[in-house]
Amino acid sequence: MLAAFIAMGWFGEGIDTANYIRIFDEINVVRGIWDLRYEPLFVLFVQTFSSSATNPAWIFFTITATSLLTKVSAVRLVCGNGLVFLVSYFSVWAPTFELNQIRAALALAVLLLIISVPLQSAMVVVLLTPLTLGLHYSMIGPIAVVWVYFLIASNLSFLKKMSIISAVIILGAFLNHFLVSRHASYLEAVSQSMAAGGERLFSYFSVYVILVTVFSTIYLLRRGLTDAPQSIVIAALSAIGGILIFFYQTWTEGLYAYRILETMTSFLPITLAWIWGQSRNSIWKVGTVFLIVVGLAIAPGYWASRVV
């Protein structure tokens, strides 16, 4: 239902809506998944569920519904509260992703599901995570956190750990070559536009995600990291990494500071959902409710900033 409301424009038309309608047209005209500058798995997904005659609202609905259902499935796998997750996620993160950056929304959902499924082999998780780059290249940040987590926390052999490190270097070199060779002009244009705009170090969003990250991290440390699902620990680590990168990028006037912060902290709602479901102390439930209320309080302004 929420996906339908977004697709039909009940919350307003996203800033990127018109751009994505053009992208859908390009994808359905050029059938080769490698012939466009967009991520190949996203191109394949759109081609599978649409044609040149398909109403764009249907494509938006298909992507958004798939994204939300996948995320809720991940929440259920860790025994989190689905309502807490949806309210928290929709308040702050959905305007950026499900309403606008739908490629990233779908990629984040798949990555969250991969790290939430209770697989026995850490290497299987490590090998599956790069697939999300085929949906959106920004997954390199969360993927790096996942790989570092398994390098440190898993019982992988030295050879397998060295294989992961080698894969990181190779993947990084490939992405750098791919982006520079196929997206150089686009990245240059983005660089110029962002240099003119600047970024604020503190905002309602940055302060909010810091609060949620601190709250989640304290709970995890008090409970014990070994007792928490790997996806919850990774969500907290990703948020911490995102905050550190955000501050660095902002101070050095780097690119995509807020986008990195939004992407790297987008798993935080699952930590709130899990804390609500696991905590026996009412203090933690009160803290969760407080953060949800704060999220709801800043939601109107945040949604308004993401619509035309």
Side-chain angles (χ1 to χ4, degrees):
M1 184 180 296
L2 292 172
F5 288 161
I6 290 176
M8 291 186 295
W10 282 36
F11 298 103
E13 183 175 293
I15 293 174
D16 290 334
T17 298
N19 186 45
Y20 266 105
I21 291 175
R22 177 185 58 79
I23 291 173
F24 297 154
D25 288 339
E26 288 185 38
I27 289 174
N28 282 307
V29 169
V30 181
R31 303 303 297 180
I33 64 172
W34 296 103
D35 296 331
L36 296 165
R37 70 175 181 86
Y38 313 111
E39 294 81 353
L41 290 183
F42 177 78
V43 172
L44 183 61
F45 185 94
V46 173
Q47 289 175 346
T48 301
F49 292 100
S50 67
S51 68
S52 57
T54 303
N55 189 316
W58 165 252
I59 309 176
F60 279 116
F61 170 76
T62 303
I63 296 170
T64 304
T66 302
S67 170
L68 292 174
L69 285 173
T70 303
K71 288 168 183 168
V72 171
S73 298
V75 173
R76 291 183 179 276
L77 285 171
V78 299
C79 300
N81 186 287
L83 180 61
V84 170
F85 171 81
L86 284 174
V87 173
S88 175
Y89 184 79
F90 249 78
S91 298
V92 180
W93 284 273
T96 294
F97 297 112
E98 272 69 14
L99 184 65
N100 284 288
Q101 292 294 314
I102 55 176
R103 285 178 290 170
L106 190 57
L108 286 165
V110 174
L111 183 58
L112 182 58
L113 183 63
I114 289 173
I115 63 177
S116 298
V117 173
L119 297 173
Q120 297 299 316
S121 173
M123 281 302 293
V124 173
V125 179
V126 169
L127 292 173
L128 286 175
T129 51
L131 293 175
T132 58
L133 290 169
L135 293 168
H136 202 269
Y137 298 131
S138 65
M139 292 305 99
I140 189 64
I143 287 173
V145 174
V146 174
W147 286 9
V148 169
Y149 169 81
F150 282 112
L151 278 172
I152 297 173
S154 69
N155 295 320
L156 292 173
S157 66
F158 175 77
L159 180 60
K160 288 183 177 180
K161 289 186 177 182
M162 289 304 298
S163 298
I164 294 176
I165 293 173
S166 300
V168 170
I169 296 173
I170 294 171
L171 182 62
F174 169 76
L175 279 177
N176 180 69
H177 172 74
F178 184 82
L179 291 173
V180 170
S181 62
R182 299 192 63 173
H183 301 265
S185 59
Y186 171 74
L187 292 174
E188 183 179 354
V190 170
S191 176
Q192 292 175 351
S193 64
M194 287 191 169
E199 299 279 9
R200 287 185 301 157
L201 188 60
F202 291 105
S203 67
Y204 286 129
F205 178 75
S206 62
V207 173
Y208 178 70
V209 296
I210 290 172
L211 288 175
V212 179
T213 302
V214 170
F215 177 78
S216 303
T217 303
I218 292 174
Y219 181 84
L220 282 169
L221 292 175
R222 287 176 64 90
R223 181 185 176 93
L225 297 180
T226 56
D227 294 333
Q230 64 186 28
S231 59
I232 303 301
V233 179
I234 290 171
L237 291 175
S238 178
I240 293 171
I243 291 170
L244 293 176
I245 295 172
F246 166 72
F247 276 93
Y248 173 78
Q249 289 289 86
T250 304
W251 281 329
T252 60
E253 297 184 352
L255 296 179
Y256 287 111
Y258 261 92
R259 183 58 51 81
I260 292 172
L261 184 65
E262 291 167 337
T263 301
M264 297 289 283
T265 62
S266 62
F267 294 154
L268 282 177
I270 196 174
T271 67
L272 292 180
W274 180 76
I275 291 172
W276 178 270
Q278 298 297 313
S279 61
R280 299 293 179 264
N281 192 323
S282 60
I283 293 177
W284 295 104
K285 290 189 180 293
V286 171
T288 303
V289 171
F290 170 76
L291 291 171
I292 290 174
V293 171
V294 172
L296 288 171
I298 68 175
Y302 209 62
W303 278 84
S305 69
R306 297 299 188 271
V307 298
V308 177

